[in-house]
Amino acid sequence: MDHDFAITLDVGTSLANHTGAWRTFRPEYVHRLPPCNAACPAGEDIQGWLSFAEAGDYEAAWRALTKNNPLPAVMGRVCYHPCETACNRAQIDAAVGVNAVERFLGDMAIAKGWAFEPPAQKSGKKVLVVGAGPAGLSAAYHLAVLGHDVNIREAGPAPGGMMRFGIPKYRLPRDVLDAEVARIAALGVRIDYNSKVSDLQATIKEGGFDAAFLAVGAHIAKRAYIPAGEATKILDAVQVLASMEGAEQPLLGRRVVVYGGGNTALDVARTAKRLGAEEAIIVYRRTREKMPAHDFELEEALEEGVMMKWLSTIKHVDAGAITVEKMKLDETGFPQPTGEFETLEADSVVLALGQDVDLSLLDGVPGLEFADGLVKVGPDMMTGATGIFAGGDMAPSERTVTVAVGHGKKAARHIDAFLRGAAYAPPPKHELAGFEHLNAWYYGEAPQTLRPTLEIARRSSTFEEVVQGLDESNALYEARRCLSCGNCFECDNCYGVCPDNAVIKLGAGQGFRFNYDFCKGCGVCEAECPCGAIAMAPEEI
């Protein structure tokens, strides 16, 4: 018998499609922690603000970014971007240029005059912040947004701390730094310059402060005993870099030797070249692999003609020359002297062996504990003295701008809780979204955008900024390279591949849900989810 048409049922109406009791696993939508977020010492929601940037909503992206970090234009220049080291995209082609997009947003905010939203109400509490470096500025910003009155006391004549007095202008233009500090001050943060705090307890009492955050930078250069003649010119790296902010530039001579292996050593050597030195040589007692300086900064220094003397140590300094002993690594990788010596001509020797913090302001404060020249703090960033918190260079940690900004934010949240008589409990972290959670087949190759750099000739004779920023088209492209690791971006894959029509689309921006009456637990949705936002969980019995 012929039929004019076949009778069909609407999707999901067949009773035979019901799962029954034999499903052993069920799919669930999950939120996994993106590796970039997990690696950021400042605690930025990188994937979150990138999602706004890739939609072209740059102001929303900037506002999402500055919820955690008030200095994006600065950090887009000086951060060593561990987020990119952790980025899953690097296993496909190259990491997302997070740092470049961050700088783009920071620069756009300065150009367009975007300002922070003032707090809805004031708390009536006063907080003292000692030091206007990255940790102090970050803490002041977050405390001000939370409604507290903040007074920063800065010993120097200008804000920024080591960002100003330790990072050269060719890496961080001062107008950029000043613009981002001014935006924080516009929230009502008062910054007193040339106001060194020498007696913390007296300052707190006289100012009527309810809490204090100590963020004194490491400005005291470490010394090493090196025999030297009377006419020898030995300088401190911190002193050299700080003097670049004054009217008179340091006189280093034609042949400059820098002793050390950190970023400060590279900065001094590159500065010496710009001041006219024909030779700038870094003497370092270990190998390149052991050098604490960031590799991209070393590459830039080598491009500019800075020379490296690996496995070497300075034994004696005379007027116009130094004696260097060659080293060799023992079986443990530790450098040992060889007894082989070499003489190098040098008009000046600059020591870049690390810095210490001046802790004299803490004399007489009861309850404080110290170790290795640092203040001990608890998980809440509070010292042994009630109401006194510390971070940045003063606390045990890696000494970078990014870490300091993170310390300031963390301390501010705990200080806010302390002032309210409560305790701050950070939200629990999600499972990390590893590359194994992704279905990389769905992502096409898209090479990372390289930031343009100033030509070598101008780099060797001026203090113009070396690394340039992205334009809007490049920044948009770079933001769109994000894989959205661990979090649904509504690609509709699960909706399309489900053989049982068990995925229900909730609408744009609302995601999906599973109808478990029809789901067979086959796991196709999990396998075909590009970003790892679905997990198979044991069925509840």
Side-chain angles (χ1 to χ4, degrees), residues 290-322:
K290 296 290 185 179
M291 193 178 196
H294 300 131
D295 199 58
F296 64 90
E297 288 194 45
L298 174 59
E299 286 298 325
E300 289 177 11
L302 293 173
E303 289 172 1
E304 293 169 9
V306 172
M307 293 179 283
M308 306 296 303
K309 204 138 190 69
W310 307 109
L311 288 171
S312 301
T313 185
I314 297 178
K315 300 302 292 183
H316 194 278
V317 180
D318 294 301
I322 67 169

Side-chain angles (χ1 to χ4, degrees), residues 449-484:
T449 305
L450 296 179
R451 286 189 270 193
T453 57
L454 194 67
E455 56 267 29
I456 297 295
R458 291 171 65 188
R459 282 161 61 173
S460 60
S461 59
T462 73
F463 281 85
E464 291 181 45
E465 188 171 13
V466 171
V467 180
Q468 309 297 302
L470 302 181
D471 60 26
E472 183 173 346
S473 61
N474 287 337
L476 187 63
Y477 164 83
E478 200 57 43
R480 288 175 174 173
R481 295 181 66 243
C482 175
L483 305 180
S484 193

Side-chain angles (χ1 to χ4, degrees), residues 371-525:
D372 300 321
L374 301 170
V375 183
K376 287 187 176 182
V377 297
D380 59 356
M381 307 298 288
M382 191 187 292
T383 68
T386 302
I388 298 177
F389 299 75
D393 290 350
M394 298 191 76
S397 66
E398 187 182 2
R399 286 180 173 174
T400 69
V401 173
T402 319
V403 168
V405 168
H407 277 194
K409 180 185 75 171
K410 182 178 179 181
R413 290 176 174 175
H414 286 289
I415 292 170
D416 173 65
F418 169 79
L419 294 175
R420 292 185 288 102
Y424 174 73
K429 288 190 175 183
H430 300 300
E431 174 195 10
L432 188 68
F435 189 73
E436 69 277 6
H437 293 117
L438 309 183
N439 191 330
W441 181 87
Y442 284 100
Y443 300 105
E445 289 193 14
Q448 186 186 66
T449 305
L450 296 179
R451 286 189 270 193
T453 57
L454 194 67
E455 56 267 29
I456 297 295
R458 291 171 65 188
R459 282 161 61 173
S460 60
S461 59
T462 73
F463 281 85
E464 291 181 45
E465 188 171 13
V466 171
V467 180
Q468 309 297 302
L470 302 181
D471 60 26
E472 183 173 346
S473 61
N474 287 337
L476 187 63
Y477 164 83
E478 200 57 43
R480 288 175 174 173
R481 295 181 66 243
C482 175
L483 305 180
S484 193
C485 303
N487 293 285
C488 177
F489 59 92
E490 299 188 21
C491 69
D492 288 359
N493 261 26
C494 54
Y495 182 74
V497 302
C498 180
D500 298 310
N501 298 307
V503 176
I504 300 173
K505 192 170 183 176
L506 301 177
Q510 301 178 59
F512 308 84
R513 72 174 178 85
F514 291 107
N515 184 341
Y516 293 115
D517 286 340
F518 298 96
C519 172
K520 301 294 188 295
C522 66
V524 173
C525 55

Side-chain angles (χ1 to χ4, degrees), residues 56-70:
D57 193 344
Y58 301 123
E59 183 171 356
W62 177 80
R63 294 197 180 280
L65 193 168
T66 54
K67 285 182 180 179
N68 295 293
N69 165 28

Side-chain angles (χ1 to χ4, degrees), residues 12-34:
T13 60
S14 172
L15 294 178
N17 199 33
H18 277 222
T19 298
W22 49 265
R23 185 179 62 217
T24 58
F25 282 86
R26 65 162 61 192
E28 295 178 349
Y29 289 104
V30 295
H31 294 288
R32 290 187 166 110
L33 180 64

Side-chain angles (χ1 to χ4, degrees), residues 243-323:
S243 67
M244 293 300 298
E245 293 299 304
E248 295 186 11
Q249 295 181 333
L251 300 175
L252 301 177
R254 293 186 301 109
R255 298 161 301 186
V256 181
V257 171
V258 182
Y259 193 30
N263 294 314
T264 300
L266 292 176
D267 284 337
V268 171
R270 296 174 71 183
T271 296
K273 292 287 289 185
R274 285 164 170 77
L275 291 176
E278 296 173 7
E279 291 184 1
I281 302 174
I282 292 179
V283 175
Y284 180 53
R285 63 197 301 264
R286 294 177 181 269
T287 61
R288 175 169 179 164
E289 292 70 30
K290 296 290 185 179
M291 193 178 196
H294 300 131
D295 199 58
F296 64 90
E297 288 194 45
L298 174 59
E299 286 298 325
E300 289 177 11
L302 293 173
E303 289 172 1
E304 293 169 9
V306 172
M307 293 179 283
M308 306 296 303
K309 204 138 190 69
W310 307 109
L311 288 171
S312 301
T313 185
I314 297 178
K315 300 302 292 183
H316 194 278
V317 180
D318 294 301
I322 67 169
T323 301

